Amino acid sequence: MSDKTDPHQPKLIIFGCGYVGREVARQALEKGWDVRALTRNPDKAAELRQLGLSQVVVADLDEDTWHDQLDPHPDFVLNCVSSAGGGIDGYRKSYIDGQQSILKWAANGHVGTYVYTSATSVYPQTEGEWVDESASTDGASEHGSLLLESESLLQGARGISRWFVLRLGGIYGPDRHYFVDKLRTGDTTFPGSGESWLNLIHRDDIASAVFAAFEAPAEIAKRVYNVVDGQPASRGEIIGWLAEQLGQSAPTFTPQQASARDSGRRSSGGKLPNRRIDAGLIERELGWQPAFKNFRDGFTGLLH
């Protein structure tokens, strides 16, 4: 395959270039990088080409039909694929089969730095305790267990100089703010408990964490980092503050009703996770800090 790009221009390939990946792509283009991507969505592919990516491949990640279309010698790879849908089978298709496909492709070339976005759902703790990367993941939910399996595939991966796993908290940002959208309709009743802890991270801060990993000192490798704003708050506090900002009445919660998304989040003991995530390790090792240091900082710009 011919490649007429500048050999000195950093090359980034993004797999699953959706909500997070598109922002990383935009910022990489601003840096003057050569950015390429794979997506299963033709409409997103057209948007990415318009954004300025030098190559966009439309294919299912878990298949090998794309392997000879993307040069396996990039400086950077970001795997930020989301679930393919269809419940637990979609999780496995994206996170296990997709990861295996990328690593098979990488084994035939050389990747400088590989970043994989996992999730804090790997932590099953339920008592509101603080957890960091050393916390036990025994008893993780079905979804969390699949993410742990996907992370483990990186151990001993061939063709990759170094890798990082970023365990992301609850993602919000422009055009992604479920609580705000629901409140704006006048609906102030929320399923679940208002007392459970939420650990959030703004899309733009995820992007900055990805670049912190890409540009980390060479001696730092094979690390797992939590990526949250480090200021957990209860659902009641967050939604109550949003309701006040939007001029809505105080929210009510129905603990007896679990939302549909909770079905795959329960630990092996049947409880929903309820813990506070510590993101101090990435700050200490890479110097990363969120620009939006709490939910108020992050949501303020989204309310107008």
Side-chain angles (χ1 to χ4, degrees), residues 18 32 42 46 79 108 194 205 219 228 246 295-296:
N79 176 4
N108 292 317
D205 286 329
E219 66 272 14
V228 295
L246 293 169
F295 74 87
R296 293 177 182 84

PDB file of all heavy atoms in Angstrom, residues 18 32 42 46 79 108 194 205 219 228 246 295-296:
ATOM      1  N   GLY A  18     -15.827   7.334  17.527  1.00  0.00           N
ATOM      2  CA  GLY A  18     -17.127   7.911  17.823  1.00  0.00           C
ATOM      3  C   GLY A  18     -17.008   9.160  18.672  1.00  0.00           C
ATOM      4  O   GLY A  18     -16.238  10.065  18.356  1.00  0.00           O
ATOM      5  N   GLY A  32      -1.129  18.723  13.874  1.00  0.00           N
ATOM      6  CA  GLY A  32      -0.430  18.422  12.639  1.00  0.00           C
ATOM      7  C   GLY A  32      -0.153  16.955  12.424  1.00  0.00           C
ATOM      8  O   GLY A  32       0.674  16.591  11.586  1.00  0.00           O
ATOM      9  N   PRO A  42     -21.007   4.165   8.206  1.00  0.00           N
ATOM     10  CA  PRO A  42     -20.680   4.938   6.995  1.00  0.00           C
ATOM     11  C   PRO A  42     -20.931   6.433   7.151  1.00  0.00           C
ATOM     12  O   PRO A  42     -20.193   7.248   6.581  1.00  0.00           O
ATOM     13  CB  PRO A  42     -21.591   4.328   5.923  1.00  0.00           C
ATOM     14  CG  PRO A  42     -21.907   2.958   6.418  1.00  0.00           C
ATOM     15  CD  PRO A  42     -21.974   3.079   7.906  1.00  0.00           C
ATOM     16  N   ALA A  46     -18.099   9.486   6.713  1.00  0.00           N
ATOM     17  CA  ALA A  46     -18.177  10.690   5.885  1.00  0.00           C
ATOM     18  C   ALA A  46     -17.841  11.937   6.697  1.00  0.00           C
ATOM     19  O   ALA A  46     -17.129  12.831   6.225  1.00  0.00           O
ATOM     20  CB  ALA A  46     -19.580  10.806   5.283  1.00  0.00           C
ATOM     21  N   ASN A  79      -7.709   2.643  20.803  1.00  0.00           N
ATOM     22  CA  ASN A  79      -8.876   1.771  20.705  1.00  0.00           C
ATOM     23  C   ASN A  79      -9.908   2.297  21.692  1.00  0.00           C
ATOM     24  O   ASN A  79      -9.811   2.065  22.895  1.00  0.00           O
ATOM     25  CB  ASN A  79      -8.509   0.326  21.030  1.00  0.00           C
ATOM     26  CG  ASN A  79      -9.733  -0.593  21.024  1.00  0.00           C
ATOM     27  OD1 ASN A  79     -10.842  -0.166  20.700  1.00  0.00           O
ATOM     28  ND2 ASN A  79      -9.527  -1.847  21.395  1.00  0.00           N
ATOM     29  N   ASN A 108       1.726  -7.864  13.060  1.00  0.00           N
ATOM     30  CA  ASN A 108       2.401  -7.882  11.760  1.00  0.00           C
ATOM     31  C   ASN A 108       3.126  -6.581  11.454  1.00  0.00           C
ATOM     32  O   ASN A 108       3.601  -6.378  10.338  1.00  0.00           O
ATOM     33  CB  ASN A 108       1.374  -8.164  10.651  1.00  0.00           C
ATOM     34  CG  ASN A 108       0.817  -9.563  10.734  1.00  0.00           C
ATOM     35  OD1 ASN A 108       1.545 -10.510  10.946  1.00  0.00           O
ATOM     36  ND2 ASN A 108      -0.504  -9.693  10.577  1.00  0.00           N
ATOM     37  N   GLY A 194     -30.942   8.171  44.701  1.00  0.00           N
ATOM     38  CA  GLY A 194     -30.239   9.447  44.620  1.00  0.00           C
ATOM     39  C   GLY A 194     -28.998   9.488  45.475  1.00  0.00           C
ATOM     40  O   GLY A 194     -28.232  10.449  45.412  1.00  0.00           O
ATOM     41  N   ASP A 205     -11.679  16.109  28.787  1.00  0.00           N
ATOM     42  CA  ASP A 205     -10.653  15.639  29.715  1.00  0.00           C
ATOM     43  C   ASP A 205     -10.206  14.224  29.383  1.00  0.00           C
ATOM     44  O   ASP A 205      -9.051  13.853  29.635  1.00  0.00           O
ATOM     45  CB  ASP A 205     -11.169  15.723  31.152  1.00  0.00           C
ATOM     46  CG  ASP A 205     -11.214  17.153  31.673  1.00  0.00           C
ATOM     47  OD1 ASP A 205     -10.368  17.954  31.245  1.00  0.00           O
ATOM     48  OD2 ASP A 205     -12.082  17.462  32.507  1.00  0.00           O
ATOM     49  N   GLU A 219       9.979   5.743  29.610  1.00  0.00           N
ATOM     50  CA  GLU A 219      10.148   4.685  30.607  1.00  0.00           C
ATOM     51  C   GLU A 219       8.832   4.254  31.258  1.00  0.00           C
ATOM     52  O   GLU A 219       8.783   3.251  31.977  1.00  0.00           O
ATOM     53  CB  GLU A 219      11.133   5.127  31.700  1.00  0.00           C
ATOM     54  CG  GLU A 219      10.661   6.283  32.578  1.00  0.00           C
ATOM     55  CD  GLU A 219      11.016   7.637  31.995  1.00  0.00           C
ATOM     56  OE1 GLU A 219      11.384   7.705  30.796  1.00  0.00           O
ATOM     57  OE2 GLU A 219      10.936   8.635  32.742  1.00  0.00           O
ATOM     58  N   VAL A 228     -11.138   9.909  35.922  1.00  0.00           N
ATOM     59  CA  VAL A 228     -12.350  10.578  36.390  1.00  0.00           C
ATOM     60  C   VAL A 228     -11.931  11.951  36.890  1.00  0.00           C
ATOM     61  O   VAL A 228     -10.735  12.247  36.995  1.00  0.00           O
ATOM     62  CB  VAL A 228     -13.042   9.788  37.527  1.00  0.00           C
ATOM     63  CG1 VAL A 228     -13.549   8.447  37.033  1.00  0.00           C
ATOM     64  CG2 VAL A 228     -12.091   9.594  38.706  1.00  0.00           C
ATOM     65  N   LEU A 246     -31.716  24.741  35.866  1.00  0.00           N
ATOM     66  CA  LEU A 246     -32.658  24.758  34.753  1.00  0.00           C
ATOM     67  C   LEU A 246     -34.044  25.246  35.162  1.00  0.00           C
ATOM     68  O   LEU A 246     -34.971  25.259  34.340  1.00  0.00           O
ATOM     69  CB  LEU A 246     -32.761  23.354  34.140  1.00  0.00           C
ATOM     70  CG  LEU A 246     -31.493  22.838  33.445  1.00  0.00           C
ATOM     71  CD1 LEU A 246     -31.614  21.356  33.118  1.00  0.00           C
ATOM     72  CD2 LEU A 246     -31.206  23.634  32.171  1.00  0.00           C
ATOM     73  N   PHE A 295     -18.384  18.254  38.599  1.00  0.00           N
ATOM     74  CA  PHE A 295     -19.522  18.264  37.677  1.00  0.00           C
ATOM     75  C   PHE A 295     -20.040  19.666  37.416  1.00  0.00           C
ATOM     76  O   PHE A 295     -20.531  19.962  36.325  1.00  0.00           O
ATOM     77  CB  PHE A 295     -20.637  17.343  38.189  1.00  0.00           C
ATOM     78  CG  PHE A 295     -21.415  17.873  39.365  1.00  0.00           C
ATOM     79  CD1 PHE A 295     -22.517  18.694  39.185  1.00  0.00           C
ATOM     80  CD2 PHE A 295     -21.053  17.534  40.666  1.00  0.00           C
ATOM     81  CE1 PHE A 295     -23.254  19.170  40.256  1.00  0.00           C
ATOM     82  CE2 PHE A 295     -21.775  18.010  41.748  1.00  0.00           C
ATOM     83  CZ  PHE A 295     -22.880  18.838  41.558  1.00  0.00           C
ATOM     84  N   ARG A 296     -19.928  20.556  38.392  1.00  0.00           N
ATOM     85  CA  ARG A 296     -20.398  21.924  38.186  1.00  0.00           C
ATOM     86  C   ARG A 296     -19.582  22.617  37.087  1.00  0.00           C
ATOM     87  O   ARG A 296     -20.135  23.286  36.203  1.00  0.00           O
ATOM     88  CB  ARG A 296     -20.328  22.723  39.487  1.00  0.00           C
ATOM     89  CG  ARG A 296     -21.292  22.235  40.568  1.00  0.00           C
ATOM     90  CD  ARG A 296     -21.129  23.030  41.862  1.00  0.00           C
ATOM     91  NE  ARG A 296     -22.004  22.545  42.906  1.00  0.00           N
ATOM     92  CZ  ARG A 296     -21.730  21.520  43.703  1.00  0.00           C
ATOM     93  NH1 ARG A 296     -20.565  20.857  43.558  1.00  0.00           N
ATOM     94  NH2 ARG A 296     -22.582  21.135  44.634  1.00  0.00           N
TER      95      ARG A 296
END
